[in-house]
Amino acid sequence: MAKRRGNQEGSIYQRKSDGKWCATITMADGKRRVAYCASFDEARRKRSELERQRELGLLVGTDRQTLGEYMADWLASARGRVRPGTFASYSVYVNRHVIPGLGGHPLDKFTPQHVQSFLTAKLGEGLSPKTLRGLHAVLRSALAEAVRWGLLARPPATLVTPPRLTRYEVAAMTPADARALLGAVQDDRLEALYVTALYCGLRQGELLGLRWHAVDFQAATLSIRGTLSRFDGKLRLAPPKTESSRRVIALPGPVAEALRAHKVRQLEERLRAGDAWRDTGFVFTSTVGTPIEPRSLIRRWHVIRARIGRPHWRFHDLRHGAASLWLASGENVKHVQELLGHSRISMTLDTYSHVVPTMHGDAAHAWTRCCATAARLAVKLAVNAVLNDSAGDCSPAIFLVALGGFVVLPAVLEPAAFGSATQRSIRTELRAHGGGNGIRTHERD
């Protein structure tokens, strides 16, 4: 009597339709894998090979899930594991490129050739090498997870080399550039933001996400604890880009002066706004206390860069400018890495290795002179604490004389508003931030 085959043991049979020999094995999920061969001996060898691969975990089930279906599932699972900005980038790559271009392929039949052909086609469509590397990174991450989930035997994208990236070369900012910038933003409502960006090298999202409780004037430190960005149609405060981006840095004197003056300006705006004020706690806000839109800041920056004749400067170049000036003045590269919040010192070296040799030998002295100039140019506006508890004594508008020139605050301060405890609290805070220190006040005629 013939011996009965055991559970999951393969079989061999000849197909009557064309005479081919079929080697079959059964997978753990109950589905079968079939290999078609020309002879019985070949089928026997193929069956043994399939059984060995099954035992080593190199075979996956035959579920006919498409790549598009899998990528949609993977994207949904990534939402809670990555930062909002990263998820937004993933969504663009997957929904705009991967699913339309590759979504119809069966997942278990997806090969490195498919990935390479896809990237080549996208390059022909005019996509930049940076975008193609982003597409490759998303596919590599998603398909590696498919291997961990048992849906693929190997990750196809890992076997493909992405296009070579042409690195953006950071232009070294000179002390003269820094002085021109500080002069151009003098008396700007957001002068303190630009001063902080140039002296501290913060990212745009870190600046917009900065809150007053993170500014310690007494200890002269600045704590970076979040970034503000628009995601899913809403402004959201998210954790920093990396763990190393969560940092505490020293607060330079010119930045401290600028932020103190900005605090006074913001308190004045709060008085003018009254009930319309939104107390969000952000350092840089609109005139009613709401967070600043990133796109609005970029529009303001375009005006400023045109004013100083640098139409090619991006806002992010302020961060690069801070780093290049630090390095040119002899700052240790490791310290610059920590100030910038880079996760690896190699990132700092790769980005700025060309900067120092291009600077003049006396750059350190020039930057020191620039710092002194910036301290004079930094906003020193302070409201004279003539606001007292009597509503009738409040002036409808105040002219402040600062830095040798007149600065107009077109503020109509409603007398009735000064009777509340909130308004008195704001006036007390104004006095605490230096209101009236050597600044003359004049009422409008």
Side-chain angles (χ1 to χ4, degrees), residues 77-112:
S77 71
R79 176 182 287 271
R81 295 186 282 108
V82 298
R83 299 174 67 252
T86 303
F87 180 79
S89 298
Y90 284 0
S91 298
V92 172
Y93 286 135
V94 171
N95 294 322
R96 189 176 297 177
H97 299 288
V98 175
I99 291 180
L102 296 171
H105 290 283
L107 178 61
D108 63 330
K109 301 293 184 183
F110 197 63
T111 67

PDB file of all heavy atoms in Angstrom, residues 77-112:
ATOM      1  N   SER A  77      -0.715  52.985   8.015  1.00  0.00           N
ATOM      2  CA  SER A  77      -0.031  52.541   9.231  1.00  0.00           C
ATOM      3  C   SER A  77       1.099  53.483   9.628  1.00  0.00           C
ATOM      4  O   SER A  77       1.496  53.534  10.790  1.00  0.00           O
ATOM      5  CB  SER A  77       0.533  51.128   9.031  1.00  0.00           C
ATOM      6  OG  SER A  77       1.631  51.143   8.134  1.00  0.00           O
ATOM      7  N   ALA A  78       1.625  54.236   8.655  1.00  0.00           N
ATOM      8  CA  ALA A  78       2.747  55.138   8.944  1.00  0.00           C
ATOM      9  C   ALA A  78       2.304  56.423   9.631  1.00  0.00           C
ATOM     10  O   ALA A  78       3.134  57.116  10.232  1.00  0.00           O
ATOM     11  CB  ALA A  78       3.481  55.487   7.644  1.00  0.00           C
ATOM     12  N   ARG A  79       1.021  56.750   9.578  1.00  0.00           N
ATOM     13  CA  ARG A  79       0.546  58.026  10.100  1.00  0.00           C
ATOM     14  C   ARG A  79       0.930  58.235  11.565  1.00  0.00           C
ATOM     15  O   ARG A  79       1.373  59.317  11.956  1.00  0.00           O
ATOM     16  CB  ARG A  79      -0.974  58.141   9.950  1.00  0.00           C
ATOM     17  CG  ARG A  79      -1.560  59.410  10.556  1.00  0.00           C
ATOM     18  CD  ARG A  79      -3.070  59.439  10.426  1.00  0.00           C
ATOM     19  NE  ARG A  79      -3.505  59.690   9.079  1.00  0.00           N
ATOM     20  CZ  ARG A  79      -3.701  60.913   8.569  1.00  0.00           C
ATOM     21  NH1 ARG A  79      -3.478  61.990   9.317  1.00  0.00           N
ATOM     22  NH2 ARG A  79      -4.098  61.072   7.334  1.00  0.00           N
ATOM     23  N   GLY A  80       0.787  57.228  12.379  1.00  0.00           N
ATOM     24  CA  GLY A  80       1.068  57.389  13.801  1.00  0.00           C
ATOM     25  C   GLY A  80       2.523  57.168  14.182  1.00  0.00           C
ATOM     26  O   GLY A  80       2.883  57.327  15.347  1.00  0.00           O
ATOM     27  N   ARG A  81       3.371  56.802  13.194  1.00  0.00           N
ATOM     28  CA  ARG A  81       4.759  56.469  13.505  1.00  0.00           C
ATOM     29  C   ARG A  81       5.765  57.535  13.086  1.00  0.00           C
ATOM     30  O   ARG A  81       6.928  57.456  13.474  1.00  0.00           O
ATOM     31  CB  ARG A  81       5.136  55.140  12.843  1.00  0.00           C
ATOM     32  CG  ARG A  81       4.378  53.951  13.388  1.00  0.00           C
ATOM     33  CD  ARG A  81       4.881  52.632  12.809  1.00  0.00           C
ATOM     34  NE  ARG A  81       4.377  52.395  11.449  1.00  0.00           N
ATOM     35  CZ  ARG A  81       5.107  52.471  10.355  1.00  0.00           C
ATOM     36  NH1 ARG A  81       6.381  52.789  10.428  1.00  0.00           N
ATOM     37  NH2 ARG A  81       4.591  52.224   9.168  1.00  0.00           N
ATOM     38  N   VAL A  82       5.341  58.477  12.269  1.00  0.00           N
ATOM     39  CA  VAL A  82       6.278  59.493  11.776  1.00  0.00           C
ATOM     40  C   VAL A  82       5.727  60.881  12.081  1.00  0.00           C
ATOM     41  O   VAL A  82       4.541  61.056  12.417  1.00  0.00           O
ATOM     42  CB  VAL A  82       6.510  59.335  10.257  1.00  0.00           C
ATOM     43  CG1 VAL A  82       7.131  57.987   9.943  1.00  0.00           C
ATOM     44  CG2 VAL A  82       5.207  59.512   9.473  1.00  0.00           C
ATOM     45  N   ARG A  83       6.591  61.886  11.959  1.00  0.00           N
ATOM     46  CA  ARG A  83       6.188  63.259  12.203  1.00  0.00           C
ATOM     47  C   ARG A  83       5.183  63.707  11.140  1.00  0.00           C
ATOM     48  O   ARG A  83       5.194  63.201  10.005  1.00  0.00           O
ATOM     49  CB  ARG A  83       7.406  64.186  12.181  1.00  0.00           C
ATOM     50  CG  ARG A  83       8.431  63.865  13.248  1.00  0.00           C
ATOM     51  CD  ARG A  83       9.679  64.697  13.117  1.00  0.00           C
ATOM     52  NE  ARG A  83       9.415  66.104  13.393  1.00  0.00           N
ATOM     53  CZ  ARG A  83       9.385  67.065  12.479  1.00  0.00           C
ATOM     54  NH1 ARG A  83       9.591  66.781  11.205  1.00  0.00           N
ATOM     55  NH2 ARG A  83       9.150  68.315  12.813  1.00  0.00           N
ATOM     56  N   PRO A  84       4.312  64.662  11.472  1.00  0.00           N
ATOM     57  CA  PRO A  84       3.299  65.123  10.509  1.00  0.00           C
ATOM     58  C   PRO A  84       3.890  65.567   9.175  1.00  0.00           C
ATOM     59  O   PRO A  84       3.352  65.243   8.112  1.00  0.00           O
ATOM     60  CB  PRO A  84       2.628  66.281  11.241  1.00  0.00           C
ATOM     61  CG  PRO A  84       2.794  65.963  12.686  1.00  0.00           C
ATOM     62  CD  PRO A  84       4.122  65.287  12.811  1.00  0.00           C
ATOM     63  N   GLY A  85       5.005  66.299   9.225  1.00  0.00           N
ATOM     64  CA  GLY A  85       5.618  66.750   7.980  1.00  0.00           C
ATOM     65  C   GLY A  85       6.127  65.595   7.141  1.00  0.00           C
ATOM     66  O   GLY A  85       6.010  65.604   5.906  1.00  0.00           O
ATOM     67  N   THR A  86       6.681  64.580   7.801  1.00  0.00           N
ATOM     68  CA  THR A  86       7.158  63.398   7.092  1.00  0.00           C
ATOM     69  C   THR A  86       5.996  62.637   6.467  1.00  0.00           C
ATOM     70  O   THR A  86       6.074  62.184   5.316  1.00  0.00           O
ATOM     71  CB  THR A  86       7.918  62.468   8.058  1.00  0.00           C
ATOM     72  OG1 THR A  86       8.999  63.196   8.654  1.00  0.00           O
ATOM     73  CG2 THR A  86       8.459  61.246   7.338  1.00  0.00           C
ATOM     74  N   PHE A  87       4.893  62.518   7.206  1.00  0.00           N
ATOM     75  CA  PHE A  87       3.725  61.824   6.662  1.00  0.00           C
ATOM     76  C   PHE A  87       3.164  62.568   5.458  1.00  0.00           C
ATOM     77  O   PHE A  87       2.727  61.943   4.478  1.00  0.00           O
ATOM     78  CB  PHE A  87       2.651  61.672   7.733  1.00  0.00           C
ATOM     79  CG  PHE A  87       1.417  60.954   7.233  1.00  0.00           C
ATOM     80  CD1 PHE A  87       1.410  59.570   7.120  1.00  0.00           C
ATOM     81  CD2 PHE A  87       0.288  61.662   6.864  1.00  0.00           C
ATOM     82  CE1 PHE A  87       0.291  58.904   6.642  1.00  0.00           C
ATOM     83  CE2 PHE A  87      -0.837  61.012   6.389  1.00  0.00           C
ATOM     84  CZ  PHE A  87      -0.840  59.621   6.277  1.00  0.00           C
ATOM     85  N   ALA A  88       3.171  63.885   5.509  1.00  0.00           N
ATOM     86  CA  ALA A  88       2.684  64.675   4.371  1.00  0.00           C
ATOM     87  C   ALA A  88       3.532  64.395   3.131  1.00  0.00           C
ATOM     88  O   ALA A  88       3.012  64.263   2.015  1.00  0.00           O
ATOM     89  CB  ALA A  88       2.705  66.159   4.714  1.00  0.00           C
ATOM     90  N   SER A  89       4.856  64.291   3.311  1.00  0.00           N
ATOM     91  CA  SER A  89       5.736  63.967   2.179  1.00  0.00           C
ATOM     92  C   SER A  89       5.459  62.560   1.660  1.00  0.00           C
ATOM     93  O   SER A  89       5.387  62.335   0.439  1.00  0.00           O
ATOM     94  CB  SER A  89       7.204  64.080   2.606  1.00  0.00           C
ATOM     95  OG  SER A  89       7.524  65.396   2.998  1.00  0.00           O
ATOM     96  N   TYR A  90       5.287  61.608   2.572  1.00  0.00           N
ATOM     97  CA  TYR A  90       4.960  60.243   2.166  1.00  0.00           C
ATOM     98  C   TYR A  90       3.670  60.221   1.330  1.00  0.00           C
ATOM     99  O   TYR A  90       3.593  59.509   0.325  1.00  0.00           O
ATOM    100  CB  TYR A  90       4.767  59.351   3.389  1.00  0.00           C
ATOM    101  CG  TYR A  90       6.030  58.910   4.091  1.00  0.00           C
ATOM    102  CD1 TYR A  90       7.282  59.294   3.638  1.00  0.00           C
ATOM    103  CD2 TYR A  90       5.973  58.099   5.222  1.00  0.00           C
ATOM    104  CE1 TYR A  90       8.438  58.881   4.288  1.00  0.00           C
ATOM    105  CE2 TYR A  90       7.127  57.673   5.870  1.00  0.00           C
ATOM    106  CZ  TYR A  90       8.348  58.075   5.408  1.00  0.00           C
ATOM    107  OH  TYR A  90       9.486  57.660   6.046  1.00  0.00           O
ATOM    108  N   SER A  91       2.685  60.967   1.769  1.00  0.00           N
ATOM    109  CA  SER A  91       1.392  60.983   1.076  1.00  0.00           C
ATOM    110  C   SER A  91       1.541  61.473  -0.352  1.00  0.00           C
ATOM    111  O   SER A  91       0.928  60.926  -1.283  1.00  0.00           O
ATOM    112  CB  SER A  91       0.400  61.876   1.836  1.00  0.00           C
ATOM    113  OG  SER A  91       0.152  61.381   3.126  1.00  0.00           O
ATOM    114  N   VAL A  92       2.342  62.514  -0.549  1.00  0.00           N
ATOM    115  CA  VAL A  92       2.564  63.038  -1.898  1.00  0.00           C
ATOM    116  C   VAL A  92       3.254  61.995  -2.765  1.00  0.00           C
ATOM    117  O   VAL A  92       2.847  61.729  -3.904  1.00  0.00           O
ATOM    118  CB  VAL A  92       3.391  64.336  -1.846  1.00  0.00           C
ATOM    119  CG1 VAL A  92       3.796  64.774  -3.253  1.00  0.00           C
ATOM    120  CG2 VAL A  92       2.599  65.444  -1.167  1.00  0.00           C
ATOM    121  N   TYR A  93       4.316  61.394  -2.237  1.00  0.00           N
ATOM    122  CA  TYR A  93       5.053  60.397  -3.015  1.00  0.00           C
ATOM    123  C   TYR A  93       4.159  59.218  -3.396  1.00  0.00           C
ATOM    124  O   TYR A  93       4.163  58.751  -4.545  1.00  0.00           O
ATOM    125  CB  TYR A  93       6.245  59.882  -2.205  1.00  0.00           C
ATOM    126  CG  TYR A  93       7.394  60.850  -2.104  1.00  0.00           C
ATOM    127  CD1 TYR A  93       8.035  61.068  -0.878  1.00  0.00           C
ATOM    128  CD2 TYR A  93       7.854  61.537  -3.216  1.00  0.00           C
ATOM    129  CE1 TYR A  93       9.097  61.957  -0.780  1.00  0.00           C
ATOM    130  CE2 TYR A  93       8.919  62.432  -3.123  1.00  0.00           C
ATOM    131  CZ  TYR A  93       9.531  62.631  -1.899  1.00  0.00           C
ATOM    132  OH  TYR A  93      10.573  63.510  -1.798  1.00  0.00           O
ATOM    133  N   VAL A  94       3.394  58.705  -2.424  1.00  0.00           N
ATOM    134  CA  VAL A  94       2.587  57.501  -2.666  1.00  0.00           C
ATOM    135  C   VAL A  94       1.399  57.794  -3.567  1.00  0.00           C
ATOM    136  O   VAL A  94       1.171  57.084  -4.569  1.00  0.00           O
ATOM    137  CB  VAL A  94       2.121  56.898  -1.323  1.00  0.00           C
ATOM    138  CG1 VAL A  94       1.101  55.784  -1.568  1.00  0.00           C
ATOM    139  CG2 VAL A  94       3.308  56.363  -0.542  1.00  0.00           C
ATOM    140  N   ASN A  95       0.627  58.826  -3.232  1.00  0.00           N
ATOM    141  CA  ASN A  95      -0.619  59.081  -3.957  1.00  0.00           C
ATOM    142  C   ASN A  95      -0.413  59.748  -5.310  1.00  0.00           C
ATOM    143  O   ASN A  95      -1.223  59.556  -6.233  1.00  0.00           O
ATOM    144  CB  ASN A  95      -1.548  59.945  -3.100  1.00  0.00           C
ATOM    145  CG  ASN A  95      -2.004  59.221  -1.854  1.00  0.00           C
ATOM    146  OD1 ASN A  95      -2.270  58.019  -1.886  1.00  0.00           O
ATOM    147  ND2 ASN A  95      -2.079  59.927  -0.728  1.00  0.00           N
ATOM    148  N   ARG A  96       0.659  60.540  -5.441  1.00  0.00           N
ATOM    149  CA  ARG A  96       0.872  61.260  -6.699  1.00  0.00           C
ATOM    150  C   ARG A  96       1.768  60.482  -7.669  1.00  0.00           C
ATOM    151  O   ARG A  96       1.670  60.681  -8.890  1.00  0.00           O
ATOM    152  CB  ARG A  96       1.488  62.620  -6.418  1.00  0.00           C
ATOM    153  CG  ARG A  96       1.549  63.541  -7.628  1.00  0.00           C
ATOM    154  CD  ARG A  96       2.086  64.906  -7.260  1.00  0.00           C
ATOM    155  NE  ARG A  96       1.204  65.588  -6.316  1.00  0.00           N
ATOM    156  CZ  ARG A  96       1.466  66.781  -5.789  1.00  0.00           C
ATOM    157  NH1 ARG A  96       2.598  67.402  -6.084  1.00  0.00           N
ATOM    158  NH2 ARG A  96       0.614  67.346  -4.947  1.00  0.00           N
ATOM    159  N   HIS A  97       2.607  59.614  -7.158  1.00  0.00           N
ATOM    160  CA  HIS A  97       3.571  58.951  -8.041  1.00  0.00           C
ATOM    161  C   HIS A  97       3.513  57.421  -7.980  1.00  0.00           C
ATOM    162  O   HIS A  97       3.361  56.777  -9.009  1.00  0.00           O
ATOM    163  CB  HIS A  97       4.993  59.422  -7.698  1.00  0.00           C
ATOM    164  CG  HIS A  97       5.209  60.883  -7.870  1.00  0.00           C
ATOM    165  ND1 HIS A  97       5.284  61.492  -9.108  1.00  0.00           N
ATOM    166  CD2 HIS A  97       5.352  61.883  -6.949  1.00  0.00           C
ATOM    167  CE1 HIS A  97       5.483  62.790  -8.956  1.00  0.00           C
ATOM    168  NE2 HIS A  97       5.519  63.050  -7.665  1.00  0.00           N
ATOM    169  N   VAL A  98       3.659  56.838  -6.793  1.00  0.00           N
ATOM    170  CA  VAL A  98       3.814  55.387  -6.695  1.00  0.00           C
ATOM    171  C   VAL A  98       2.553  54.654  -7.124  1.00  0.00           C
ATOM    172  O   VAL A  98       2.613  53.760  -7.989  1.00  0.00           O
ATOM    173  CB  VAL A  98       4.213  54.981  -5.258  1.00  0.00           C
ATOM    174  CG1 VAL A  98       4.241  53.453  -5.144  1.00  0.00           C
ATOM    175  CG2 VAL A  98       5.573  55.559  -4.898  1.00  0.00           C
ATOM    176  N   ILE A  99       1.411  54.999  -6.560  1.00  0.00           N
ATOM    177  CA  ILE A  99       0.179  54.269  -6.897  1.00  0.00           C
ATOM    178  C   ILE A  99      -0.203  54.458  -8.368  1.00  0.00           C
ATOM    179  O   ILE A  99      -0.511  53.467  -9.058  1.00  0.00           O
ATOM    180  CB  ILE A  99      -0.962  54.670  -5.948  1.00  0.00           C
ATOM    181  CG1 ILE A  99      -0.664  54.124  -4.539  1.00  0.00           C
ATOM    182  CG2 ILE A  99      -2.305  54.149  -6.461  1.00  0.00           C
ATOM    183  CD1 ILE A  99      -1.722  54.460  -3.503  1.00  0.00           C
ATOM    184  N   PRO A 100      -0.187  55.699  -8.916  1.00  0.00           N
ATOM    185  CA  PRO A 100      -0.506  55.827 -10.344  1.00  0.00           C
ATOM    186  C   PRO A 100       0.489  55.101 -11.253  1.00  0.00           C
ATOM    187  O   PRO A 100       0.101  54.571 -12.300  1.00  0.00           O
ATOM    188  CB  PRO A 100      -0.465  57.340 -10.587  1.00  0.00           C
ATOM    189  CG  PRO A 100      -0.720  57.951  -9.254  1.00  0.00           C
ATOM    190  CD  PRO A 100      -0.051  57.028  -8.277  1.00  0.00           C
ATOM    191  N   GLY A 101       1.761  55.059 -10.885  1.00  0.00           N
ATOM    192  CA  GLY A 101       2.763  54.483 -11.769  1.00  0.00           C
ATOM    193  C   GLY A 101       3.012  52.998 -11.587  1.00  0.00           C
ATOM    194  O   GLY A 101       3.386  52.305 -12.542  1.00  0.00           O
ATOM    195  N   LEU A 102       2.803  52.487 -10.374  1.00  0.00           N
ATOM    196  CA  LEU A 102       3.151  51.092 -10.080  1.00  0.00           C
ATOM    197  C   LEU A 102       2.019  50.312  -9.428  1.00  0.00           C
ATOM    198  O   LEU A 102       2.164  49.103  -9.200  1.00  0.00           O
ATOM    199  CB  LEU A 102       4.363  51.047  -9.134  1.00  0.00           C
ATOM    200  CG  LEU A 102       5.683  51.617  -9.657  1.00  0.00           C
ATOM    201  CD1 LEU A 102       6.703  51.699  -8.523  1.00  0.00           C
ATOM    202  CD2 LEU A 102       6.229  50.760 -10.795  1.00  0.00           C
ATOM    203  N   GLY A 103       0.934  50.969  -9.105  1.00  0.00           N
ATOM    204  CA  GLY A 103      -0.109  50.366  -8.267  1.00  0.00           C
ATOM    205  C   GLY A 103      -0.724  49.098  -8.814  1.00  0.00           C
ATOM    206  O   GLY A 103      -1.220  48.266  -8.051  1.00  0.00           O
ATOM    207  N   GLY A 104      -0.716  48.881 -10.139  1.00  0.00           N
ATOM    208  CA  GLY A 104      -1.375  47.709 -10.711  1.00  0.00           C
ATOM    209  C   GLY A 104      -0.565  46.436 -10.651  1.00  0.00           C
ATOM    210  O   GLY A 104      -1.097  45.341 -10.903  1.00  0.00           O
ATOM    211  N   HIS A 105       0.709  46.512 -10.294  1.00  0.00           N
ATOM    212  CA  HIS A 105       1.554  45.306 -10.252  1.00  0.00           C
ATOM    213  C   HIS A 105       1.172  44.420  -9.062  1.00  0.00           C
ATOM    214  O   HIS A 105       0.957  44.916  -7.957  1.00  0.00           O
ATOM    215  CB  HIS A 105       3.027  45.691 -10.115  1.00  0.00           C
ATOM    216  CG  HIS A 105       3.600  46.320 -11.350  1.00  0.00           C
ATOM    217  ND1 HIS A 105       3.955  45.595 -12.467  1.00  0.00           N
ATOM    218  CD2 HIS A 105       3.896  47.609 -11.636  1.00  0.00           C
ATOM    219  CE1 HIS A 105       4.436  46.406 -13.388  1.00  0.00           C
ATOM    220  NE2 HIS A 105       4.411  47.634 -12.909  1.00  0.00           N
ATOM    221  N   PRO A 106       1.117  43.090  -9.275  1.00  0.00           N
ATOM    222  CA  PRO A 106       0.925  42.191  -8.128  1.00  0.00           C
ATOM    223  C   PRO A 106       2.098  42.351  -7.163  1.00  0.00           C
ATOM    224  O   PRO A 106       3.263  42.359  -7.584  1.00  0.00           O
ATOM    225  CB  PRO A 106       0.904  40.799  -8.759  1.00  0.00           C
ATOM    226  CG  PRO A 106       0.560  41.035 -10.199  1.00  0.00           C
ATOM    227  CD  PRO A 106       1.159  42.351 -10.550  1.00  0.00           C
ATOM    228  N   LEU A 107       1.811  42.433  -5.892  1.00  0.00           N
ATOM    229  CA  LEU A 107       2.869  42.679  -4.916  1.00  0.00           C
ATOM    230  C   LEU A 107       3.912  41.574  -4.925  1.00  0.00           C
ATOM    231  O   LEU A 107       5.126  41.846  -4.902  1.00  0.00           O
ATOM    232  CB  LEU A 107       2.253  42.813  -3.513  1.00  0.00           C
ATOM    233  CG  LEU A 107       3.247  43.016  -2.361  1.00  0.00           C
ATOM    234  CD1 LEU A 107       4.040  44.304  -2.546  1.00  0.00           C
ATOM    235  CD2 LEU A 107       2.509  43.032  -1.026  1.00  0.00           C
ATOM    236  N   ASP A 108       3.476  40.297  -4.982  1.00  0.00           N
ATOM    237  CA  ASP A 108       4.427  39.189  -4.893  1.00  0.00           C
ATOM    238  C   ASP A 108       5.240  39.005  -6.169  1.00  0.00           C
ATOM    239  O   ASP A 108       6.174  38.200  -6.208  1.00  0.00           O
ATOM    240  CB  ASP A 108       3.708  37.891  -4.519  1.00  0.00           C
ATOM    241  CG  ASP A 108       2.706  37.457  -5.569  1.00  0.00           C
ATOM    242  OD1 ASP A 108       2.147  38.343  -6.247  1.00  0.00           O
ATOM    243  OD2 ASP A 108       2.480  36.247  -5.718  1.00  0.00           O
ATOM    244  N   LYS A 109       4.897  39.746  -7.226  1.00  0.00           N
ATOM    245  CA  LYS A 109       5.644  39.674  -8.473  1.00  0.00           C
ATOM    246  C   LYS A 109       6.484  40.930  -8.716  1.00  0.00           C
ATOM    247  O   LYS A 109       7.076  41.096  -9.782  1.00  0.00           O
ATOM    248  CB  LYS A 109       4.681  39.492  -9.661  1.00  0.00           C
ATOM    249  CG  LYS A 109       3.817  38.242  -9.593  1.00  0.00           C
ATOM    250  CD  LYS A 109       4.645  36.976  -9.726  1.00  0.00           C
ATOM    251  CE  LYS A 109       3.737  35.738  -9.765  1.00  0.00           C
ATOM    252  NZ  LYS A 109       4.528  34.487  -9.833  1.00  0.00           N
ATOM    253  N   PHE A 110       6.538  41.802  -7.727  1.00  0.00           N
ATOM    254  CA  PHE A 110       7.232  43.074  -7.892  1.00  0.00           C
ATOM    255  C   PHE A 110       8.741  42.851  -7.781  1.00  0.00           C
ATOM    256  O   PHE A 110       9.222  42.211  -6.832  1.00  0.00           O
ATOM    257  CB  PHE A 110       6.754  44.057  -6.824  1.00  0.00           C
ATOM    258  CG  PHE A 110       7.079  45.489  -7.127  1.00  0.00           C
ATOM    259  CD1 PHE A 110       6.552  46.122  -8.236  1.00  0.00           C
ATOM    260  CD2 PHE A 110       7.933  46.198  -6.298  1.00  0.00           C
ATOM    261  CE1 PHE A 110       6.855  47.440  -8.516  1.00  0.00           C
ATOM    262  CE2 PHE A 110       8.236  47.525  -6.565  1.00  0.00           C
ATOM    263  CZ  PHE A 110       7.702  48.147  -7.677  1.00  0.00           C
ATOM    264  N   THR A 111       9.493  43.392  -8.731  1.00  0.00           N
ATOM    265  CA  THR A 111      10.925  43.116  -8.824  1.00  0.00           C
ATOM    266  C   THR A 111      11.743  44.405  -8.827  1.00  0.00           C
ATOM    267  O   THR A 111      11.202  45.498  -9.036  1.00  0.00           O
ATOM    268  CB  THR A 111      11.233  42.340 -10.117  1.00  0.00           C
ATOM    269  OG1 THR A 111      10.966  43.214 -11.241  1.00  0.00           O
ATOM    270  CG2 THR A 111      10.375  41.089 -10.223  1.00  0.00           C
ATOM    271  N   PRO A 112      13.053  44.285  -8.632  1.00  0.00           N
ATOM    272  CA  PRO A 112      13.920  45.470  -8.740  1.00  0.00           C
ATOM    273  C   PRO A 112      13.834  46.139 -10.111  1.00  0.00           C
ATOM    274  O   PRO A 112      13.976  47.360 -10.221  1.00  0.00           O
ATOM    275  CB  PRO A 112      15.323  44.900  -8.486  1.00  0.00           C
ATOM    276  CG  PRO A 112      15.094  43.690  -7.643  1.00  0.00           C
ATOM    277  CD  PRO A 112      13.811  43.113  -8.142  1.00  0.00           C
TER     278      PRO A 112
END
